[in-house]
Amino acid sequence: MNQDIIIADNLEQSLAEAIGKVEHDKLFVLTDTTTKELCWPVVKDYAVIKDAIVITIAPTDEAKTLETLAKVWTALQKSGATRHSLMVNLGGGMVTDLGGFAASTFKRGMTYINIPTTLLSQVDASVGGKTGINFGGLKNEIGVFNCARCVILSSTFLRTLDRENLLSGYAEMLKHGLLSSKEDWAELLCFDISAPDYATLQTLVAKSVNVKEQIVNEDPTEKGIRKALNLGHTAGHAIESLALKEGRTVLHGYAVAWGLLMELYLSARKCGFPAKEMHQMEAYVKEHYGKFLYECKHYDMLCDFMSHDKKNHGSSINFTLLGGIGDIRINQIASMEEIEEMLDYYRES
Ligand code: GLY
């Protein structure tokens, strides 16, 4: 993966170094209205970026559309951007996904740098080159794999996040811990994310990103082992879709945390994942994330959402499971009976 990950103790210096490494004619910064207000003021006076042309889009996943993308392309065109211009995406996953796609496609591709400002985007979205937009009612339907030249991770921005958004990102870190080792996972369970020590959090973020980086380096375009990063997401996306349909607000990481529990049950059932660690994870998730409630009448819909997941071929449902912590089993096919059992287990637990 041709992507530098910088843990920024000094954001100004890291940004100057990152931008200095890329020859460019014009510099652009993409923000959304939230990060324009909360995060742009942190960097806007830095010498290296103060003359950049700032493009601002609407926030939240609803704005991750073709219309917003066209607005960014238009702004780039009107400001005379070329293939040799440089884009800095300053924001959460929506900004880094859409901005990465806009940069990757404008004039067949300009270089971009990500400065993710949420925990979720620091440990997941901004790293590994997945870019894109939602389309035709489906999330991330159109996009390309193309890595940011550099991702700058600074705990400065994490201080502006509320507990829910910290927990949302932390679910992806728990996933990386499960994929990595018992030590990494246990360290995450011990850390107090509700009242975090930000220096320690920064160290944990670096470790977590390293887990993702290693997997992505092995398989940048998700032909094989990168599917490991989908742990918790087959069930988690189904929960998100059901919540959306019923007008219930659910943050992505919460759905991932609940999805992890469901998929650890399947892991125990099909691959021998230890019950003790499954129950430890259950206790942690219930304490911090609560529980997503559904009824038997929702099973068909949940199964339907799972079968529409992008990584499935045909009608079977493909999961990433674990034989134990760090023992990754991709391409596990579960029968409808096993999936219903999983839904029963979670509902009744
Ligand atoms: N979010 C999972 C991946 O980047 O592959």
Side-chain angles (χ1 to χ4, degrees), residues 124-125 127-128 130 172 175 212 216 222 226 229-230 233:
D124 190 22
V127 177
K130 281 188 179 174
E172 296 285 358
K175 177 194 80 179
K212 175 160 185 179
V216 173
E222 204 170 303
R226 187 166 180 165
L229 298 171
N230 293 322
H233 283 65

Side-chain angles (χ1 to χ4, degrees), residues 179 219 223-230 271 318-322 327-333:
L179 295 174
D219 175 26
K223 302 279 190 294
I225 192 64
R226 187 166 180 165
K227 292 181 193 174
L229 298 171
N230 293 322
C271 307
N318 180 312
F319 288 86
T320 293
L321 301 178
L322 297 174
D327 176 3
I328 300 165
R329 313 277 177 92
I330 60 169
N331 294 329
Q332 300 295 310
I333 306 298

Side-chain angles (χ1 to χ4, degrees), residues 29-259:
V29 173
L30 184 71
T31 62
D32 64 30
T33 48
T34 308
T35 58
K36 176 81 182 295
E37 191 190 322
L38 295 176
C39 305
W40 175 238
V42 175
V43 297
K44 77 178 178 39
D45 294 325
Y46 294 169
V48 72
I49 209 167
K50 68 181 175 30
D51 296 325
I53 299 162
V54 180
I55 303 171
T56 303
I57 55 180
T60 79
D61 207 61
E62 276 101 76
K64 201 169 145 186
T65 61
L66 191 55
E67 291 71 38
T68 310
L69 179 68
K71 277 187 193 154
V72 176
W73 283 330
T74 304
L76 289 171
Q77 195 175 47
K78 283 194 173 151
S79 307
T82 72
R83 187 181 293 169
H84 308 290
S85 301
L86 174 63
M87 172 104 103
V88 176
N89 297 315
L90 178 68
M94 194 282 272
V95 169
T96 59
D97 279 10
L98 187 142
F101 189 47
S104 303
T105 45
F106 188 79
K107 305 263 189 201
R108 297 208 175 87
M110 52 197 258
T111 305
Y112 72 99
I113 290 172
N114 282 340
I115 311 180
T117 56
T118 62
L119 186 57
L120 192 64
S121 60
Q122 290 202 358
V123 296
D124 190 22
S126 68
V127 177
K130 281 188 179 174
T131 72
I133 56 165
N134 303 332
F135 186 74
L138 297 172
K139 286 178 72 139
N140 302 321
E141 182 74 346
I142 309 288
V144 293
F145 286 104
N146 181 35
C147 283
R149 176 65 56 84
C150 172
V151 182
I152 301 175
L153 305 175
S154 166
S155 62
T156 308
F157 300 111
L158 302 183
R159 291 167 197 269
T160 65
L161 298 177
D162 58 23
R163 181 177 181 271
E164 283 70 32
N165 276 290
L166 278 176
L167 276 168
S168 184
Y170 207 65
E172 296 285 358
M173 293 172 68
L174 291 168
K175 177 194 80 179
H176 291 155
L178 286 166
L179 295 174
S180 167
S181 68
K182 271 192 196 173
E183 292 70 32
D184 286 358
W185 174 71
E187 191 179 21
L188 290 165
L189 291 198
C190 290
F191 180 70
D192 185 3
I193 187 64
S194 301
D197 171 72
Y198 287 96
T200 311
L201 181 58
Q202 181 144 323
T203 315
L204 293 175
V205 165
K207 268 195 194 176
S208 196
V209 168
N210 191 256
V211 173
K212 175 160 185 179
E213 219 184 338
Q214 281 181 28
I215 291 173
V216 173
N217 277 341
E218 228 181 288
D219 175 26
T221 54
E222 204 170 303
K223 302 279 190 294
I225 192 64
R226 187 166 180 165
K227 292 181 193 174
L229 298 171
N230 293 322
L231 182 70
H233 283 65
T234 305
H237 282 154
I239 290 174
E240 271 185 302
S241 302
L242 175 62
L244 188 70
K245 202 169 170 66
E246 299 204 322
R248 296 153 74 179
T249 312
V250 160
L251 291 177
H252 174 70
Y254 278 62
V256 170
W258 297 321

